[in-house]
Amino acid sequence: MMYALAKFTSRNLKVFLKDRANVFFSLLAPLIVLALYVLFLGRLQSDGMLASLEEMNVTGAEDAVRAFCDSWMLVGVMASASITVPLCACGIMVQDKSRGISADLLASPVPRWLPPAAYFLSVVAAGLVIGIIVLAVCFVWLAASGSWFLSFADVLGCIGTLLLSVLSSSTMLVFVVGFFRSQGAFTGLNVIFGTLVGFLIGAYMPISYFPEGVQLFTLFIPGSYSAGLFRSFMLSGALDNIAQTVSAPFAEALAEEFSMTYDFFGLEVGAPGMAAALAVSAALFAAADVAVQYILLRRAKRPPRRNAVQDKEA
C-alpha cells in the first residue's frame, strides 16, 4: 500500500509540475508582491524611513534601511508562496473529479483512504519543492544586494517556518477545495484568493496600517502568522543592524510598526505563539479532513436504501 501511495503521490506532483501555466499562476501573488515593491512600495517605505531619520538628524543609514525594506518584501513573497502554491496544487483534485478519474479510483481495488492521502501529500510536496526554490532565490537576492544579515539559526528558522506554513495552508486548502466539483468554481476561488491573499496576510503593507476591524479579522487567518513568523527570522538581523546604525528605540519603533508581533485581544503574540497558532491550525484542519473522509467512506459502504415498491416485491 505504501508503494501505491508513493506512486499516486508522485503522479499528482508530476501532473502539477508539468503544467507550466498552473505553476506560474501559483507564483502570481508572490510576483505581484515583488513587482509592487520594485515599482513603488519599496521606494515609499525607504523614503518614509529616511525622512524620519533626517528629522532625527541621522544620515548614512541608507544601506541599513534598504536591507530592512528588502527583507520585508521577501517576507511577503515567501508568505504568499506558502499559500498560493498549495492552492494551485489542489487543482489536481478538482481536475480528477471533473474528468471522472476520481470515480475510476473508487471502482479500483485500492483502499478508499489512499487517493485523499495521496492528494494531500502531493499538495504538501508541491508547496515544499517550489517553496524551497523561492526561498533560495530570496537568499540569493539578499546576498547579492548586500542586505544579508541572517544568521545560520535564522536560515534554519526560515526553513522550519516554510515547512510549518505549507502544512498549515495545505490542510486548510485541501479541506476547502474538497467541496469543489467543477473546474470553473475552483478557478474563481483561485483568482479571488490569489488576489486577496497579499492584503489578508499583510504582504503589501503592515497589518498595523489597517483599520482595527480588519486587523482583528487578519488575526484569524493562519497565513498572517506565517508572515509574522517569517518576519521574526528574516527581519531580526536587519533590525539589529538598524539598532547599531541608528538607535535601538528607532529599531523598536520599526518592529512595532511593521507587525513583528501581534496584539491578540491584549495578548502579545511573538514567534513561539505564531508557530503554535500554525501548528494548531494544521491539526484542526487535518482532523476536519479526516472526519470528512471518514463520513464519505461510511456513506460509500452503506447499502442503498430500498423503496417501498422494492420491499413489496421482495
Side-chain angles (χ1 to χ4, degrees):
M1 287 305 169
M2 297 307 298
Y3 177 77
L5 178 63
K7 293 295 290 183
F8 194 55
T9 301
S10 176
R11 173 261 178 189
N12 295 337
L13 182 60
K14 290 179 180 178
V15 170
F16 170 72
L17 294 177
K18 285 183 178 180
D19 190 346
R20 296 180 180 179
N22 200 16
V23 173
F24 170 77
F25 283 109
S26 71
L27 295 173
L28 186 58
L31 290 174
I32 291 175
V33 174
L34 180 60
L36 290 176
Y37 176 82
V38 171
L39 291 176
F40 63 92
L41 281 182
R43 185 170 182 177
L44 286 176
Q45 289 180 350
S46 60
D47 288 350
M49 292 184 197
L50 291 175
S52 299
L53 291 175
E54 288 180 1
E55 294 178 358
M56 300 167 56
N57 296 322
V58 176
T59 58
E62 290 80 4
D63 292 340
V65 168
R66 178 173 53 81
F68 177 85
C69 293
D70 285 350
S71 301
W72 162 263
M73 176 270 299
L74 295 178
V75 165
V77 170
M78 285 307 307
S80 300
S82 300
I83 300 173
T84 57
V85 174
L87 174 60
C88 288
C90 287
I92 304 300
M93 300 166 51
V94 182
Q95 179 178 304
D96 285 353
K97 289 178 184 178
S98 63
R99 294 181 177 179
I101 297 177
S102 297
D104 294 339
L105 288 172
L106 292 175
S108 63
V110 298
R112 293 185 179 271
W113 60 263
L114 193 146
Y119 285 129
F120 172 73
L121 291 177
S122 63
V123 169
V124 174
L128 290 177
V129 168
I130 297 183
I132 287 293
I133 296 174
V134 175
L135 184 60
V137 172
C138 291
F139 287 159
V140 171
W141 178 301
L142 290 176
S145 62
S147 302
W148 181 273
F149 292 99
L150 278 69
S151 64
F152 182 69
D154 292 332
V155 173
L156 293 180
C158 289
I159 296 174
T161 300
L162 174 64
L163 174 61
L164 193 56
S165 300
V166 169
L167 284 175
S168 176
S169 60
S170 297
T171 53
M172 177 183 68
L173 293 170
V174 167
F175 174 76
V176 173
V177 176
F179 295 99
F180 285 73
R181 295 291 182 270
S182 69
Q183 200 72 28
F186 174 75
T187 301
L189 171 69
N190 203 350
V191 171
I192 295 173
F193 195 76
T195 304
L196 293 178
V197 66
F199 290 102
L200 295 175
I201 65 175
Y204 301 145
M205 62 182 67
I207 293 177
S208 60
Y209 289 7
F210 296 158
E212 184 176 355
V214 178
Q215 291 186 38
L216 293 177
F217 176 74
T218 59
L219 293 176
F220 293 94
I221 301 175
S224 300
Y225 298 99
S226 174
L229 201 54
F230 272 117
R231 289 189 199 106
S232 298
F233 295 109
M234 297 189 74
L235 291 179
S236 61
L239 279 173
D240 291 341
N241 183 45
I242 287 180
Q244 297 174 5
T245 305
V246 184
S247 66
F250 186 77
E252 293 174 0
L254 282 181
E256 181 178 357
E257 181 177 358
F258 283 82
S259 305
M260 293 290 289
T261 59
Y262 293 148
D263 182 5
F264 190 81
F265 297 96
L267 177 65
E268 182 177 344
V269 181
M274 295 176 189
L278 288 175
V280 169
S281 170
L284 289 178
F285 280 105
D289 290 332
V290 172
V292 169
Q293 294 303 322
Y294 177 77
I295 293 173
L296 294 176
L297 181 61
R298 290 292 299 271
R299 287 182 177 178
K301 289 183 177 180
R302 186 181 304 169
R305 296 182 60 183
R306 301 173 58 177
N307 56 36
V309 176
Q310 290 174 326
D311 292 338
K312 186 175 181 180
E313 289 177 354

